[in-house]
Amino acid sequence: MSEVLISDIIIKEDRRAVKSEYVQKLADSIKQIGLINPITITPDNTLIAGYHRLNAFILLGKVRIPAITLNLSDLETRLAEIDENLIRNDLSVLERGDQLLERKRIYEELYPETKAGISGGLARQGLASEIISFAEDTADKTGQSRRTIEQEIKISRDIAPEVKDKIRDTDLADHKTDLIKLSRLEPEKQAAVV
């Protein structure tokens, strides 16, 4: 672990927005008891995990922040970012579904032998991989059931992007039952319902 100049940290443009009320609470906690978990960065100082912690340090007027550096591929870096988001519980159902769908895409790109159909065929040939399936890995990391993960991926996959954009900042974005119903409709009907 080292201390890094905050001004040297690179933030990718596709980062989720920070929640200011959460940053303030985190800053208050850091001021009182210190930083419990350092941020995580790549060797070129690109932020992997800890965006809210970084913003809390900025709010406190700090110049340096403790950081752990990990040497990961681009896909592994993105997977770590998603896992950080999923483990925190402040995502809406819609946001969680989007993160899970992206995690599945990356996981299966990193471990193609875990894709449905391929893993079964390899097992029948006695060539099964020791790498666990996406759903099992994600359930282990997040504490969610495989069914919940599958439902939230379906929501993200089956709701049209323009419909998701319309509901993203509404109460509907966090009502799973309604989102499941919406995901079962054709895109034109989804837009009409919304």
Side-chain angles (χ1 to χ4, degrees):
M1 182 169 57
S2 61
E3 286 213 347
V4 179
L5 282 171
I6 290 174
S7 60
D8 288 346
I9 297 172
I10 300 164
I11 310 296
K12 290 184 180 176
E13 290 183 26
D14 62 348
R15 292 296 285 200
R16 286 181 347 108
V18 295
K19 297 186 177 183
S20 57
E21 67 278 1
Y22 183 73
V23 170
Q24 182 61 59
K25 289 178 184 177
L26 193 52
D28 294 342
S29 173
I30 291 168
K31 188 175 181 180
Q32 184 178 12
I33 61 172
L35 182 65
I36 296 171
N37 294 311
I39 64 168
T40 307
I41 57 174
T42 62
D44 72 350
N45 289 338
T46 299
L47 185 69
I48 296 173
Y51 196 33
H52 282 88
R53 285 169 272 167
L54 177 65
N55 278 280
F57 260 61
I58 293 168
L59 185 64
L60 292 169
K62 305 282 187 180
V63 179
R64 300 176 86 71
I65 187 167
I68 295 173
T69 303
L70 296 179
N71 194 9
L72 303 173
S73 71
D74 288 345
L75 287 176
E76 291 168 329
T77 297
R78 183 66 184 128
L79 196 61
E81 291 170 4
I82 291 169
D83 286 353
E84 168 92 351
N85 289 334
L86 289 172
I87 291 167
R88 286 196 338 257
N89 292 321
D90 61 343
L91 299 174
S92 69
V93 172
L94 187 62
E95 289 171 318
R96 220 174 23 252
D98 288 346
Q99 294 281 303
L100 287 166
L101 186 60
E102 174 79 357
R103 186 180 199 285
K104 181 175 182 168
R105 183 193 63 76
I106 292 168
Y107 190 86
E108 290 179 348
E109 189 170 337
L110 287 169
Y111 310 107
E113 67 274 19
T114 65
K115 288 182 183 178
I118 294 174
S119 61
L122 290 172
R124 284 189 294 279
Q125 296 172 29
L127 301 172
S129 170
E130 291 183 18
I131 298 170
I132 60 177
S133 73
F134 160 77
E136 190 176 343
D137 181 68
T138 305
D140 287 347
K141 285 188 170 67
T142 64
Q144 293 179 316
S145 71
R146 289 174 67 148
R147 177 159 170 72
T148 295
I149 292 163
E150 290 164 2
Q151 286 174 331
E152 291 179 359
I153 286 174
K154 179 182 177 3
I155 288 167
S156 178
R157 184 189 61 228
D158 294 349
I159 295 178
E162 59 277 3
V163 173
K164 285 199 283 187
D165 288 343
K166 288 181 181 177
I167 62 175
R168 194 167 305 284
D169 294 323
T170 69
D171 289 342
L172 178 57
D174 211 24
H175 288 140
K176 187 173 181 175
T177 304
D178 293 335
L179 290 171
I180 289 171
K181 289 176 186 175
L182 189 61
S183 74
R184 292 178 180 148
L185 300 174
E186 295 298 319
E188 304 80 39
K189 289 185 180 179
Q190 291 175 7
V193 167
V194 169

